[in-house]
Amino acid sequence: MSDLMDAITGLAKRRGIVFPSSEIYGGLRSSWDYGPLGVEIKNNIKRSWWRALVQGRDDIVGLDAAIIMSPRVWEASGHVDSFADPLVECHDCHRRYREDHLPDWAPGVAAATLRCPECGGRLTDPKRFNLMFKTHMGPVEEDAAAVYLRPETAQGVFADYRTVQQSSRMKIPFGIAQIGKSFRNEITPGNFIFRTREFEQMEMEYFVEPGTDEKWFEYWVEERLRWYLDLGIREEKLRLRPHEPDELAHYAKAATDVEYEFPFGWSELEGIANRTDFDLRRHQEFSGEDLTYFDQEGDRRYLPFVVEPSGGVDRAMLAFLVDAYRVEEAPKASGGTERRTVLGLHRDIAPMKVAVLPLSRNEALVPEARRVFDLVKARWMSDYDDAGSIGRRYRRQDEVGTPFCVTVDFESLEDHAVTVRERDTMTQERVPIAQLARRLEERLN
Ligand code: GAP
């Protein structure tokens, strides 16, 4: 792992952002838990996505479909037959790899020329390995009761498409958005929370009239890129990568990835796909139900095409952390400089928006500091920290990205004002407590 990834995983563990799951039992490779600060960041990402796609628009509605669906869904969607990666195994050490993740792999390279990265041994021919987790529903472990954990949230949208469209009386073009867990038995999970076997997706299926799909595809590629930029990701770290025809998923006519330059290289953050009418057509065929849309103005029925932006919450979080992390020299109150670690997270993503810091634990100060804390925590996720020197407390807040620290000192008891310090510029301003909420609101909302 690179130094930057080491620094981020170290910080994430130390500050309770993300850490290995079931660690008291030695952990479970590729499973991660999100601690008190991590769950805030994750919720903020999901909230920002929901605000941009559902709350802020009148053409997209939300859905929360079940994770375990009828197994027929996955036959219809093509996942039972086609959702597989090429698995190779070393003849000597028996380690297993996803062929296209091997360091020497490139399109067209023959499997026979590749070698085991661990021991240099020869590798088997690739086998298609289906990524879906299979389990049983109910008390009988027989094939009739076999079900899958969903490998994408999208199929819940397709299966519910007609019910949602009719109950919410949406007219094409319109979208159905969903955020939820997905599961893939990845051959090579890794790079911290980048590729895991359990992860969360933010997906939106946008139903359009056939023939307008290419226009909407371009529209959603631009919209989704803009979302990351608006949340502060550096422009030079983002790029769009259209898929080559031979790498398209089985359902897609075109796809473009939004990629981020992670410390381990340019990698997919989110994919935007033109899924045509593939999914609705297959579900119509397999279920025998009519899934066509009646266009009243045109007086005709058709199966809509679908444009799908599909992003990962965990991957987005990794990109936000990587992009925001910096170590810099900062002036010290007592003179000279010191190194400080800063997570320059966008205010909407930062886990805590405000930290209230009483200058000391002096009993005269505490009630006033608690009053200020009550005032800010009624509106924003806020922290109260009274441990250690004020300089150390600023640094603790900087490294988890808290945009504002509010210091309550002895003067506050006289002038009913507090000092507001801004994370990035470190500028400090005296603000009357009566105006604090309004002043913070101007900069946080
Ligand atoms: N419905 C389309 C679909 O699922 P995908 O490109 O396979 O497309 C979409 O996945 C997004 O889901 C990816 O861009 C990524 O952000 C996230 N994702 C996919 N597999 C993941 C994994 N194993 N771990 C973490 N995130 C993953």
Side-chain angles (χ1 to χ4, degrees), residues 151-152 154 184 186 193-197 199 201 203 251 268-271 275 308 310-312 314-315:
E152 61 169 10
R184 296 182 189 176
E186 297 280 359
I193 51 173
F194 179 82
R195 180 171 285 104
T196 52
R197 295 189 170 118
F199 54 96
Q201 287 186 308
E203 300 200 295
Y251 48 72
E268 173 186 346
L269 252 190
E270 163 155 358
R275 295 183 79 126
E308 174 200 66
S310 168
D314 316 75
R315 249 178 225 192

Side-chain angles (χ1 to χ4, degrees), residues 148-214:
Y148 301 98
L149 301 186
R150 67 181 177 202
E152 61 169 10
T153 65
Q155 295 305 324
V157 172
F158 296 127
D160 289 346
Y161 154 76
R162 193 177 61 186
T163 309
V164 174
Q165 187 269 322
Q166 290 176 353
S167 59
S168 54
R169 292 182 294 120
M170 298 304 283
K171 289 204 165 46
I172 277 179
F174 79 96
I176 303 177
Q178 175 163 223
I179 300 177
K181 290 259 178 168
S182 291
F183 302 82
R184 296 182 189 176
N185 201 1
E186 297 280 359
I187 298 168
T188 44
N191 285 325
F192 192 28
I193 51 173
F194 179 82
R195 180 171 285 104
T196 52
R197 295 189 170 118
E198 171 183 343
F199 54 96
E200 254 181 305
Q201 287 186 308
M202 308 179 282
E203 300 200 295
M204 195 276 291
E205 313 304 314
Y206 201 72
F207 299 90
V208 306
E209 188 177 347
T212 65
D213 49 306
E214 288 176 16

